[in-house]
Amino acid sequence: MKKLIAQIAKFGVVGVIAFIIDIGILNLLVRYLHMGNVPAGTISFLVSLAVNYLLSMSMVFKHRDDMARWMEIVIFLISAAIGLLINDVILWMGTASLPADAIDTMHGKYVLYTNIAKLVATVIVAVWNFIIRKWLLDAPSPDKTVNTRSFAHRLGQWSIHHDPFTAKTAGK
């Protein structure tokens, strides 16, 4: 339990760093460049995602020896795409009640609603990311044996034996 709490704390630190980058870029684009909140949120999310991936996989989660790196990246990208979709839907919902020209006519309110929606999206996406990464990407503790019946282990074993980057020629 102590390891899980420590891991959640590290995930939180990484998340705060990524959030500062995300909210900073989002506000720069929406507040000062008058970009719509969904395209701005997509850009800021993707930039912070790169930082989050590098920090998460080096500080928070341990690489599974029973999974190929390419599969780790595929899982991360699919979960990130779902996280981006959640993020963008919540950002859109945050300002959907405002008039279509609110970015210009009610700019202060538009920015405020965007930031409130971003806070909600961040919490929901953070929970999503932790659960998926913990379930599929995190290696078991060294003192525990690998559950060979788990979906993560079976997926990892499949990925090791089915490397898409080494084409096997027919007849060999």
Side-chain angles (χ1 to χ4, degrees), residues 102-140:
I103 192 165
D104 296 316
T105 61
M106 307 169 72
H107 192 65
K109 196 173 209 177
Y110 186 86
V111 171
L112 175 64
Y113 283 25
T114 293
N115 279 288
I116 292 168
K118 183 61 186 177
L119 289 171
V120 171
T122 297
V123 170
I124 293 169
V125 172
V127 170
W128 160 257
N129 282 336
F130 185 82
I131 291 169
I132 291 301
R133 291 178 194 170
K134 182 73 179 159
W135 175 46
L136 294 174
L137 297 178
D138 196 26

PDB file of all heavy atoms in Angstrom, residues 102-140:
ATOM      1  N   ALA A 102     -18.950  34.587 -28.280  1.00  0.00           N
ATOM      2  CA  ALA A 102     -18.522  34.904 -26.907  1.00  0.00           C
ATOM      3  C   ALA A 102     -17.016  35.113 -26.785  1.00  0.00           C
ATOM      4  O   ALA A 102     -16.575  35.894 -25.943  1.00  0.00           O
ATOM      5  CB  ALA A 102     -18.963  33.806 -25.943  1.00  0.00           C
ATOM      6  N   ILE A 103     -16.239  34.458 -27.634  1.00  0.00           N
ATOM      7  CA  ILE A 103     -14.789  34.631 -27.562  1.00  0.00           C
ATOM      8  C   ILE A 103     -14.409  36.096 -27.782  1.00  0.00           C
ATOM      9  O   ILE A 103     -13.420  36.578 -27.242  1.00  0.00           O
ATOM     10  CB  ILE A 103     -14.046  33.690 -28.533  1.00  0.00           C
ATOM     11  CG1 ILE A 103     -12.552  33.680 -28.214  1.00  0.00           C
ATOM     12  CG2 ILE A 103     -14.306  34.077 -29.975  1.00  0.00           C
ATOM     13  CD1 ILE A 103     -11.788  32.550 -28.833  1.00  0.00           C
ATOM     14  N   ASP A 104     -15.239  36.828 -28.546  1.00  0.00           N
ATOM     15  CA  ASP A 104     -14.975  38.242 -28.799  1.00  0.00           C
ATOM     16  C   ASP A 104     -15.819  39.152 -27.918  1.00  0.00           C
ATOM     17  O   ASP A 104     -15.308  40.122 -27.357  1.00  0.00           O
ATOM     18  CB  ASP A 104     -15.246  38.573 -30.279  1.00  0.00           C
ATOM     19  CG  ASP A 104     -14.285  37.825 -31.199  1.00  0.00           C
ATOM     20  OD1 ASP A 104     -13.081  37.781 -30.884  1.00  0.00           O
ATOM     21  OD2 ASP A 104     -14.757  37.279 -32.213  1.00  0.00           O
ATOM     22  N   THR A 105     -17.114  38.857 -27.804  1.00  0.00           N
ATOM     23  CA  THR A 105     -18.022  39.767 -27.098  1.00  0.00           C
ATOM     24  C   THR A 105     -18.025  39.572 -25.581  1.00  0.00           C
ATOM     25  O   THR A 105     -18.369  40.494 -24.849  1.00  0.00           O
ATOM     26  CB  THR A 105     -19.462  39.606 -27.622  1.00  0.00           C
ATOM     27  OG1 THR A 105     -19.892  38.262 -27.397  1.00  0.00           O
ATOM     28  CG2 THR A 105     -19.546  39.940 -29.094  1.00  0.00           C
ATOM     29  N   MET A 106     -17.650  38.399 -25.127  1.00  0.00           N
ATOM     30  CA  MET A 106     -17.628  38.091 -23.685  1.00  0.00           C
ATOM     31  C   MET A 106     -16.307  37.404 -23.345  1.00  0.00           C
ATOM     32  O   MET A 106     -16.290  36.362 -22.698  1.00  0.00           O
ATOM     33  CB  MET A 106     -18.810  37.166 -23.338  1.00  0.00           C
ATOM     34  CG  MET A 106     -20.162  37.658 -23.776  1.00  0.00           C
ATOM     35  SD  MET A 106     -21.449  36.385 -23.627  1.00  0.00           S
ATOM     36  CE  MET A 106     -21.661  36.299 -21.874  1.00  0.00           C
ATOM     37  N   HIS A 107     -15.220  37.978 -23.788  1.00  0.00           N
ATOM     38  CA  HIS A 107     -13.932  37.299 -23.712  1.00  0.00           C
ATOM     39  C   HIS A 107     -13.559  36.869 -22.287  1.00  0.00           C
ATOM     40  O   HIS A 107     -13.099  35.749 -22.077  1.00  0.00           O
ATOM     41  CB  HIS A 107     -12.824  38.172 -24.316  1.00  0.00           C
ATOM     42  CG  HIS A 107     -11.546  37.438 -24.521  1.00  0.00           C
ATOM     43  ND1 HIS A 107     -11.428  36.395 -25.415  1.00  0.00           N
ATOM     44  CD2 HIS A 107     -10.330  37.563 -23.925  1.00  0.00           C
ATOM     45  CE1 HIS A 107     -10.202  35.915 -25.378  1.00  0.00           C
ATOM     46  NE2 HIS A 107      -9.516  36.611 -24.485  1.00  0.00           N
ATOM     47  N   GLY A 108     -13.759  37.726 -21.326  1.00  0.00           N
ATOM     48  CA  GLY A 108     -13.430  37.391 -19.938  1.00  0.00           C
ATOM     49  C   GLY A 108     -14.205  36.184 -19.440  1.00  0.00           C
ATOM     50  O   GLY A 108     -13.649  35.286 -18.810  1.00  0.00           O
ATOM     51  N   LYS A 109     -15.495  36.177 -19.725  1.00  0.00           N
ATOM     52  CA  LYS A 109     -16.341  35.057 -19.323  1.00  0.00           C
ATOM     53  C   LYS A 109     -15.944  33.786 -20.074  1.00  0.00           C
ATOM     54  O   LYS A 109     -15.911  32.698 -19.499  1.00  0.00           O
ATOM     55  CB  LYS A 109     -17.808  35.394 -19.596  1.00  0.00           C
ATOM     56  CG  LYS A 109     -18.803  34.508 -18.910  1.00  0.00           C
ATOM     57  CD  LYS A 109     -20.210  35.046 -19.129  1.00  0.00           C
ATOM     58  CE  LYS A 109     -21.079  34.654 -17.965  1.00  0.00           C
ATOM     59  NZ  LYS A 109     -22.431  35.196 -18.081  1.00  0.00           N
ATOM     60  N   TYR A 110     -15.620  33.910 -21.354  1.00  0.00           N
ATOM     61  CA  TYR A 110     -15.195  32.772 -22.172  1.00  0.00           C
ATOM     62  C   TYR A 110     -13.923  32.150 -21.595  1.00  0.00           C
ATOM     63  O   TYR A 110     -13.819  30.927 -21.468  1.00  0.00           O
ATOM     64  CB  TYR A 110     -14.967  33.241 -23.618  1.00  0.00           C
ATOM     65  CG  TYR A 110     -14.668  32.125 -24.591  1.00  0.00           C
ATOM     66  CD1 TYR A 110     -15.694  31.432 -25.213  1.00  0.00           C
ATOM     67  CD2 TYR A 110     -13.353  31.772 -24.893  1.00  0.00           C
ATOM     68  CE1 TYR A 110     -15.435  30.408 -26.119  1.00  0.00           C
ATOM     69  CE2 TYR A 110     -13.076  30.749 -25.792  1.00  0.00           C
ATOM     70  CZ  TYR A 110     -14.111  30.075 -26.399  1.00  0.00           C
ATOM     71  OH  TYR A 110     -13.845  29.066 -27.288  1.00  0.00           O
ATOM     72  N   VAL A 111     -12.969  32.986 -21.240  1.00  0.00           N
ATOM     73  CA  VAL A 111     -11.706  32.497 -20.651  1.00  0.00           C
ATOM     74  C   VAL A 111     -11.975  31.834 -19.307  1.00  0.00           C
ATOM     75  O   VAL A 111     -11.436  30.761 -19.015  1.00  0.00           O
ATOM     76  CB  VAL A 111     -10.676  33.640 -20.524  1.00  0.00           C
ATOM     77  CG1 VAL A 111      -9.455  33.197 -19.720  1.00  0.00           C
ATOM     78  CG2 VAL A 111     -10.254  34.148 -21.902  1.00  0.00           C
ATOM     79  N   LEU A 112     -12.813  32.450 -18.483  1.00  0.00           N
ATOM     80  CA  LEU A 112     -13.149  31.876 -17.173  1.00  0.00           C
ATOM     81  C   LEU A 112     -13.817  30.515 -17.328  1.00  0.00           C
ATOM     82  O   LEU A 112     -13.403  29.536 -16.682  1.00  0.00           O
ATOM     83  CB  LEU A 112     -14.072  32.816 -16.391  1.00  0.00           C
ATOM     84  CG  LEU A 112     -14.593  32.282 -15.053  1.00  0.00           C
ATOM     85  CD1 LEU A 112     -13.432  32.073 -14.076  1.00  0.00           C
ATOM     86  CD2 LEU A 112     -15.643  33.207 -14.477  1.00  0.00           C
ATOM     87  N   TYR A 113     -14.825  30.404 -18.183  1.00  0.00           N
ATOM     88  CA  TYR A 113     -15.513  29.137 -18.396  1.00  0.00           C
ATOM     89  C   TYR A 113     -14.560  28.082 -18.967  1.00  0.00           C
ATOM     90  O   TYR A 113     -14.648  26.902 -18.623  1.00  0.00           O
ATOM     91  CB  TYR A 113     -16.709  29.314 -19.330  1.00  0.00           C
ATOM     92  CG  TYR A 113     -17.936  29.935 -18.695  1.00  0.00           C
ATOM     93  CD1 TYR A 113     -17.854  30.763 -17.584  1.00  0.00           C
ATOM     94  CD2 TYR A 113     -19.190  29.721 -19.228  1.00  0.00           C
ATOM     95  CE1 TYR A 113     -18.980  31.344 -17.023  1.00  0.00           C
ATOM     96  CE2 TYR A 113     -20.335  30.293 -18.678  1.00  0.00           C
ATOM     97  CZ  TYR A 113     -20.209  31.099 -17.570  1.00  0.00           C
ATOM     98  OH  TYR A 113     -21.327  31.662 -17.013  1.00  0.00           O
ATOM     99  N   THR A 114     -13.672  28.519 -19.834  1.00  0.00           N
ATOM    100  CA  THR A 114     -12.673  27.600 -20.397  1.00  0.00           C
ATOM    101  C   THR A 114     -11.779  27.045 -19.287  1.00  0.00           C
ATOM    102  O   THR A 114     -11.505  25.851 -19.248  1.00  0.00           O
ATOM    103  CB  THR A 114     -11.819  28.313 -21.467  1.00  0.00           C
ATOM    104  OG1 THR A 114     -12.668  28.627 -22.579  1.00  0.00           O
ATOM    105  CG2 THR A 114     -10.669  27.445 -21.934  1.00  0.00           C
ATOM    106  N   ASN A 115     -11.329  27.907 -18.383  1.00  0.00           N
ATOM    107  CA  ASN A 115     -10.446  27.453 -17.306  1.00  0.00           C
ATOM    108  C   ASN A 115     -11.161  26.547 -16.313  1.00  0.00           C
ATOM    109  O   ASN A 115     -10.569  25.572 -15.829  1.00  0.00           O
ATOM    110  CB  ASN A 115      -9.809  28.658 -16.605  1.00  0.00           C
ATOM    111  CG  ASN A 115      -8.629  29.191 -17.364  1.00  0.00           C
ATOM    112  OD1 ASN A 115      -7.581  28.563 -17.403  1.00  0.00           O
ATOM    113  ND2 ASN A 115      -8.793  30.340 -18.010  1.00  0.00           N
ATOM    114  N   ILE A 116     -12.407  26.825 -16.024  1.00  0.00           N
ATOM    115  CA  ILE A 116     -13.183  25.941 -15.140  1.00  0.00           C
ATOM    116  C   ILE A 116     -13.346  24.573 -15.805  1.00  0.00           C
ATOM    117  O   ILE A 116     -13.130  23.533 -15.167  1.00  0.00           O
ATOM    118  CB  ILE A 116     -14.556  26.563 -14.796  1.00  0.00           C
ATOM    119  CG1 ILE A 116     -14.359  27.799 -13.900  1.00  0.00           C
ATOM    120  CG2 ILE A 116     -15.460  25.537 -14.119  1.00  0.00           C
ATOM    121  CD1 ILE A 116     -15.609  28.652 -13.730  1.00  0.00           C
ATOM    122  N   ALA A 117     -13.698  24.572 -17.088  1.00  0.00           N
ATOM    123  CA  ALA A 117     -13.849  23.308 -17.817  1.00  0.00           C
ATOM    124  C   ALA A 117     -12.521  22.554 -17.856  1.00  0.00           C
ATOM    125  O   ALA A 117     -12.487  21.327 -17.735  1.00  0.00           O
ATOM    126  CB  ALA A 117     -14.365  23.575 -19.229  1.00  0.00           C
ATOM    127  N   LYS A 118     -11.419  23.278 -18.017  1.00  0.00           N
ATOM    128  CA  LYS A 118     -10.096  22.641 -18.075  1.00  0.00           C
ATOM    129  C   LYS A 118      -9.772  21.961 -16.741  1.00  0.00           C
ATOM    130  O   LYS A 118      -9.189  20.865 -16.725  1.00  0.00           O
ATOM    131  CB  LYS A 118      -9.013  23.668 -18.439  1.00  0.00           C
ATOM    132  CG  LYS A 118      -7.648  23.064 -18.580  1.00  0.00           C
ATOM    133  CD  LYS A 118      -7.645  22.029 -19.689  1.00  0.00           C
ATOM    134  CE  LYS A 118      -6.342  21.308 -19.772  1.00  0.00           C
ATOM    135  NZ  LYS A 118      -6.355  20.261 -20.787  1.00  0.00           N
ATOM    136  N   LEU A 119     -10.122  22.592 -15.637  1.00  0.00           N
ATOM    137  CA  LEU A 119      -9.893  21.970 -14.323  1.00  0.00           C
ATOM    138  C   LEU A 119     -10.681  20.665 -14.198  1.00  0.00           C
ATOM    139  O   LEU A 119     -10.145  19.650 -13.741  1.00  0.00           O
ATOM    140  CB  LEU A 119     -10.265  22.928 -13.201  1.00  0.00           C
ATOM    141  CG  LEU A 119      -9.338  24.115 -13.000  1.00  0.00           C
ATOM    142  CD1 LEU A 119      -9.938  25.103 -11.998  1.00  0.00           C
ATOM    143  CD2 LEU A 119      -7.965  23.659 -12.542  1.00  0.00           C
ATOM    144  N   VAL A 120     -11.936  20.686 -14.616  1.00  0.00           N
ATOM    145  CA  VAL A 120     -12.770  19.473 -14.563  1.00  0.00           C
ATOM    146  C   VAL A 120     -12.162  18.396 -15.467  1.00  0.00           C
ATOM    147  O   VAL A 120     -12.012  17.234 -15.069  1.00  0.00           O
ATOM    148  CB  VAL A 120     -14.229  19.789 -14.978  1.00  0.00           C
ATOM    149  CG1 VAL A 120     -15.044  18.517 -15.137  1.00  0.00           C
ATOM    150  CG2 VAL A 120     -14.875  20.720 -13.963  1.00  0.00           C
ATOM    151  N   ALA A 121     -11.808  18.792 -16.688  1.00  0.00           N
ATOM    152  CA  ALA A 121     -11.231  17.837 -17.642  1.00  0.00           C
ATOM    153  C   ALA A 121      -9.937  17.250 -17.105  1.00  0.00           C
ATOM    154  O   ALA A 121      -9.686  16.048 -17.252  1.00  0.00           O
ATOM    155  CB  ALA A 121     -10.980  18.532 -18.987  1.00  0.00           C
ATOM    156  N   THR A 122      -9.121  18.064 -16.479  1.00  0.00           N
ATOM    157  CA  THR A 122      -7.839  17.596 -15.960  1.00  0.00           C
ATOM    158  C   THR A 122      -8.029  16.512 -14.909  1.00  0.00           C
ATOM    159  O   THR A 122      -7.329  15.497 -14.928  1.00  0.00           O
ATOM    160  CB  THR A 122      -7.030  18.775 -15.377  1.00  0.00           C
ATOM    161  OG1 THR A 122      -6.753  19.703 -16.436  1.00  0.00           O
ATOM    162  CG2 THR A 122      -5.730  18.312 -14.755  1.00  0.00           C
ATOM    163  N   VAL A 123      -8.961  16.705 -14.007  1.00  0.00           N
ATOM    164  CA  VAL A 123      -9.208  15.708 -12.956  1.00  0.00           C
ATOM    165  C   VAL A 123      -9.691  14.395 -13.577  1.00  0.00           C
ATOM    166  O   VAL A 123      -9.174  13.318 -13.262  1.00  0.00           O
ATOM    167  CB  VAL A 123     -10.220  16.238 -11.920  1.00  0.00           C
ATOM    168  CG1 VAL A 123     -10.670  15.142 -10.973  1.00  0.00           C
ATOM    169  CG2 VAL A 123      -9.620  17.403 -11.144  1.00  0.00           C
ATOM    170  N   ILE A 124     -10.649  14.485 -14.473  1.00  0.00           N
ATOM    171  CA  ILE A 124     -11.210  13.272 -15.086  1.00  0.00           C
ATOM    172  C   ILE A 124     -10.164  12.541 -15.916  1.00  0.00           C
ATOM    173  O   ILE A 124     -10.008  11.320 -15.815  1.00  0.00           O
ATOM    174  CB  ILE A 124     -12.465  13.612 -15.919  1.00  0.00           C
ATOM    175  CG1 ILE A 124     -13.582  14.074 -14.977  1.00  0.00           C
ATOM    176  CG2 ILE A 124     -12.915  12.419 -16.754  1.00  0.00           C
ATOM    177  CD1 ILE A 124     -14.781  14.689 -15.668  1.00  0.00           C
ATOM    178  N   VAL A 125      -9.412  13.276 -16.726  1.00  0.00           N
ATOM    179  CA  VAL A 125      -8.385  12.654 -17.574  1.00  0.00           C
ATOM    180  C   VAL A 125      -7.249  12.083 -16.719  1.00  0.00           C
ATOM    181  O   VAL A 125      -6.707  11.020 -17.037  1.00  0.00           O
ATOM    182  CB  VAL A 125      -7.867  13.644 -18.640  1.00  0.00           C
ATOM    183  CG1 VAL A 125      -6.672  13.079 -19.388  1.00  0.00           C
ATOM    184  CG2 VAL A 125      -8.981  13.985 -19.622  1.00  0.00           C
ATOM    185  N   ALA A 126      -6.903  12.746 -15.622  1.00  0.00           N
ATOM    186  CA  ALA A 126      -5.850  12.224 -14.742  1.00  0.00           C
ATOM    187  C   ALA A 126      -6.248  10.878 -14.136  1.00  0.00           C
ATOM    188  O   ALA A 126      -5.434   9.943 -14.086  1.00  0.00           O
ATOM    189  CB  ALA A 126      -5.528  13.230 -13.634  1.00  0.00           C
ATOM    190  N   VAL A 127      -7.482  10.772 -13.698  1.00  0.00           N
ATOM    191  CA  VAL A 127      -7.967   9.493 -13.146  1.00  0.00           C
ATOM    192  C   VAL A 127      -7.938   8.431 -14.238  1.00  0.00           C
ATOM    193  O   VAL A 127      -7.451   7.305 -14.018  1.00  0.00           O
ATOM    194  CB  VAL A 127      -9.383   9.655 -12.535  1.00  0.00           C
ATOM    195  CG1 VAL A 127      -9.986   8.302 -12.186  1.00  0.00           C
ATOM    196  CG2 VAL A 127      -9.328  10.556 -11.308  1.00  0.00           C
ATOM    197  N   TRP A 128      -8.438   8.759 -15.421  1.00  0.00           N
ATOM    198  CA  TRP A 128      -8.415   7.839 -16.560  1.00  0.00           C
ATOM    199  C   TRP A 128      -6.990   7.366 -16.830  1.00  0.00           C
ATOM    200  O   TRP A 128      -6.724   6.175 -16.954  1.00  0.00           O
ATOM    201  CB  TRP A 128      -9.023   8.522 -17.785  1.00  0.00           C
ATOM    202  CG  TRP A 128      -8.650   7.901 -19.090  1.00  0.00           C
ATOM    203  CD1 TRP A 128      -7.736   8.374 -19.987  1.00  0.00           C
ATOM    204  CD2 TRP A 128      -9.132   6.669 -19.637  1.00  0.00           C
ATOM    205  NE1 TRP A 128      -7.623   7.517 -21.056  1.00  0.00           N
ATOM    206  CE2 TRP A 128      -8.478   6.469 -20.865  1.00  0.00           C
ATOM    207  CE3 TRP A 128     -10.059   5.724 -19.213  1.00  0.00           C
ATOM    208  CZ2 TRP A 128      -8.716   5.361 -21.670  1.00  0.00           C
ATOM    209  CZ3 TRP A 128     -10.285   4.619 -20.025  1.00  0.00           C
ATOM    210  CH2 TRP A 128      -9.638   4.444 -21.221  1.00  0.00           C
ATOM    211  N   ASN A 129      -6.055   8.310 -16.951  1.00  0.00           N
ATOM    212  CA  ASN A 129      -4.664   7.976 -17.266  1.00  0.00           C
ATOM    213  C   ASN A 129      -4.040   7.068 -16.212  1.00  0.00           C
ATOM    214  O   ASN A 129      -3.356   6.102 -16.545  1.00  0.00           O
ATOM    215  CB  ASN A 129      -3.815   9.240 -17.413  1.00  0.00           C
ATOM    216  CG  ASN A 129      -4.024   9.920 -18.731  1.00  0.00           C
ATOM    217  OD1 ASN A 129      -4.428   9.313 -19.714  1.00  0.00           O
ATOM    218  ND2 ASN A 129      -3.754  11.212 -18.757  1.00  0.00           N
ATOM    219  N   PHE A 130      -4.253   7.372 -14.943  1.00  0.00           N
ATOM    220  CA  PHE A 130      -3.642   6.565 -13.889  1.00  0.00           C
ATOM    221  C   PHE A 130      -4.168   5.135 -13.932  1.00  0.00           C
ATOM    222  O   PHE A 130      -3.391   4.182 -13.867  1.00  0.00           O
ATOM    223  CB  PHE A 130      -3.864   7.165 -12.501  1.00  0.00           C
ATOM    224  CG  PHE A 130      -3.129   6.405 -11.437  1.00  0.00           C
ATOM    225  CD1 PHE A 130      -1.787   6.639 -11.202  1.00  0.00           C
ATOM    226  CD2 PHE A 130      -3.763   5.413 -10.694  1.00  0.00           C
ATOM    227  CE1 PHE A 130      -1.086   5.919 -10.243  1.00  0.00           C
ATOM    228  CE2 PHE A 130      -3.074   4.682  -9.746  1.00  0.00           C
ATOM    229  CZ  PHE A 130      -1.730   4.941  -9.518  1.00  0.00           C
ATOM    230  N   ILE A 131      -5.467   4.997 -14.051  1.00  0.00           N
ATOM    231  CA  ILE A 131      -6.059   3.651 -14.048  1.00  0.00           C
ATOM    232  C   ILE A 131      -5.539   2.826 -15.224  1.00  0.00           C
ATOM    233  O   ILE A 131      -5.100   1.682 -15.053  1.00  0.00           O
ATOM    234  CB  ILE A 131      -7.602   3.723 -14.052  1.00  0.00           C
ATOM    235  CG1 ILE A 131      -8.098   4.261 -12.704  1.00  0.00           C
ATOM    236  CG2 ILE A 131      -8.223   2.364 -14.356  1.00  0.00           C
ATOM    237  CD1 ILE A 131      -9.564   4.632 -12.682  1.00  0.00           C
ATOM    238  N   ILE A 132      -5.555   3.393 -16.420  1.00  0.00           N
ATOM    239  CA  ILE A 132      -5.111   2.658 -17.607  1.00  0.00           C
ATOM    240  C   ILE A 132      -3.628   2.329 -17.529  1.00  0.00           C
ATOM    241  O   ILE A 132      -3.211   1.199 -17.811  1.00  0.00           O
ATOM    242  CB  ILE A 132      -5.435   3.459 -18.895  1.00  0.00           C
ATOM    243  CG1 ILE A 132      -6.938   3.511 -19.114  1.00  0.00           C
ATOM    244  CG2 ILE A 132      -4.719   2.867 -20.110  1.00  0.00           C
ATOM    245  CD1 ILE A 132      -7.617   2.147 -19.257  1.00  0.00           C
ATOM    246  N   ARG A 133      -2.816   3.305 -17.143  1.00  0.00           N
ATOM    247  CA  ARG A 133      -1.370   3.058 -17.083  1.00  0.00           C
ATOM    248  C   ARG A 133      -1.015   2.059 -15.989  1.00  0.00           C
ATOM    249  O   ARG A 133      -0.151   1.211 -16.182  1.00  0.00           O
ATOM    250  CB  ARG A 133      -0.626   4.367 -16.884  1.00  0.00           C
ATOM    251  CG  ARG A 133      -0.710   5.260 -18.101  1.00  0.00           C
ATOM    252  CD  ARG A 133      -0.024   6.575 -17.876  1.00  0.00           C
ATOM    253  NE  ARG A 133      -0.398   7.518 -18.919  1.00  0.00           N
ATOM    254  CZ  ARG A 133      -0.121   8.788 -18.903  1.00  0.00           C
ATOM    255  NH1 ARG A 133       0.553   9.306 -17.882  1.00  0.00           N
ATOM    256  NH2 ARG A 133      -0.493   9.575 -19.877  1.00  0.00           N
ATOM    257  N   LYS A 134      -1.675   2.163 -14.864  1.00  0.00           N
ATOM    258  CA  LYS A 134      -1.426   1.222 -13.768  1.00  0.00           C
ATOM    259  C   LYS A 134      -1.812  -0.191 -14.201  1.00  0.00           C
ATOM    260  O   LYS A 134      -1.089  -1.152 -13.953  1.00  0.00           O
ATOM    261  CB  LYS A 134      -2.209   1.633 -12.520  1.00  0.00           C
ATOM    262  CG  LYS A 134      -1.989   0.768 -11.321  1.00  0.00           C
ATOM    263  CD  LYS A 134      -0.630   0.997 -10.728  1.00  0.00           C
ATOM    264  CE  LYS A 134      -0.431   0.127  -9.498  1.00  0.00           C
ATOM    265  NZ  LYS A 134       0.976  -0.045  -9.209  1.00  0.00           N
ATOM    266  N   TRP A 135      -2.954  -0.322 -14.846  1.00  0.00           N
ATOM    267  CA  TRP A 135      -3.475  -1.621 -15.256  1.00  0.00           C
ATOM    268  C   TRP A 135      -2.621  -2.254 -16.346  1.00  0.00           C
ATOM    269  O   TRP A 135      -2.282  -3.436 -16.269  1.00  0.00           O
ATOM    270  CB  TRP A 135      -4.917  -1.457 -15.728  1.00  0.00           C
ATOM    271  CG  TRP A 135      -5.556  -2.697 -16.291  1.00  0.00           C
ATOM    272  CD1 TRP A 135      -5.527  -3.962 -15.762  1.00  0.00           C
ATOM    273  CD2 TRP A 135      -6.321  -2.798 -17.489  1.00  0.00           C
ATOM    274  NE1 TRP A 135      -6.238  -4.827 -16.563  1.00  0.00           N
ATOM    275  CE2 TRP A 135      -6.744  -4.133 -17.629  1.00  0.00           C
ATOM    276  CE3 TRP A 135      -6.714  -1.875 -18.449  1.00  0.00           C
ATOM    277  CZ2 TRP A 135      -7.523  -4.569 -18.692  1.00  0.00           C
ATOM    278  CZ3 TRP A 135      -7.495  -2.305 -19.495  1.00  0.00           C
ATOM    279  CH2 TRP A 135      -7.882  -3.645 -19.620  1.00  0.00           C
ATOM    280  N   LEU A 136      -2.264  -1.490 -17.373  1.00  0.00           N
ATOM    281  CA  LEU A 136      -1.628  -2.086 -18.538  1.00  0.00           C
ATOM    282  C   LEU A 136      -0.124  -1.855 -18.657  1.00  0.00           C
ATOM    283  O   LEU A 136       0.571  -2.671 -19.254  1.00  0.00           O
ATOM    284  CB  LEU A 136      -2.299  -1.578 -19.823  1.00  0.00           C
ATOM    285  CG  LEU A 136      -3.745  -2.009 -20.006  1.00  0.00           C
ATOM    286  CD1 LEU A 136      -4.342  -1.333 -21.233  1.00  0.00           C
ATOM    287  CD2 LEU A 136      -3.860  -3.519 -20.101  1.00  0.00           C
ATOM    288  N   LEU A 137       0.393  -0.757 -18.126  1.00  0.00           N
ATOM    289  CA  LEU A 137       1.789  -0.413 -18.393  1.00  0.00           C
ATOM    290  C   LEU A 137       2.742  -0.611 -17.224  1.00  0.00           C
ATOM    291  O   LEU A 137       3.945  -0.734 -17.431  1.00  0.00           O
ATOM    292  CB  LEU A 137       1.897   1.046 -18.876  1.00  0.00           C
ATOM    293  CG  LEU A 137       1.189   1.357 -20.188  1.00  0.00           C
ATOM    294  CD1 LEU A 137       1.339   2.833 -20.513  1.00  0.00           C
ATOM    295  CD2 LEU A 137       1.710   0.492 -21.309  1.00  0.00           C
ATOM    296  N   ASP A 138       2.235  -0.615 -16.023  1.00  0.00           N
ATOM    297  CA  ASP A 138       3.121  -0.676 -14.858  1.00  0.00           C
ATOM    298  C   ASP A 138       3.559  -2.107 -14.560  1.00  0.00           C
ATOM    299  O   ASP A 138       2.736  -3.023 -14.504  1.00  0.00           O
ATOM    300  CB  ASP A 138       2.405  -0.094 -13.642  1.00  0.00           C
ATOM    301  CG  ASP A 138       3.361   0.233 -12.511  1.00  0.00           C
ATOM    302  OD1 ASP A 138       4.546   0.495 -12.785  1.00  0.00           O
ATOM    303  OD2 ASP A 138       2.910   0.244 -11.346  1.00  0.00           O
ATOM    304  N   ALA A 139       4.854  -2.268 -14.381  1.00  0.00           N
ATOM    305  CA  ALA A 139       5.394  -3.592 -14.046  1.00  0.00           C
ATOM    306  C   ALA A 139       4.980  -3.970 -12.624  1.00  0.00           C
ATOM    307  O   ALA A 139       4.864  -3.111 -11.749  1.00  0.00           O
ATOM    308  CB  ALA A 139       6.914  -3.574 -14.152  1.00  0.00           C
ATOM    309  N   PRO A 140       4.782  -5.260 -12.373  1.00  0.00           N
ATOM    310  CA  PRO A 140       4.474  -5.693 -11.006  1.00  0.00           C
ATOM    311  C   PRO A 140       5.665  -5.423 -10.093  1.00  0.00           C
ATOM    312  O   PRO A 140       6.808  -5.346 -10.553  1.00  0.00           O
ATOM    313  CB  PRO A 140       4.218  -7.186 -11.140  1.00  0.00           C
ATOM    314  CG  PRO A 140       4.410  -7.555 -12.562  1.00  0.00           C
ATOM    315  CD  PRO A 140       4.814  -6.351 -13.322  1.00  0.00           C
TER     316      PRO A 140
END
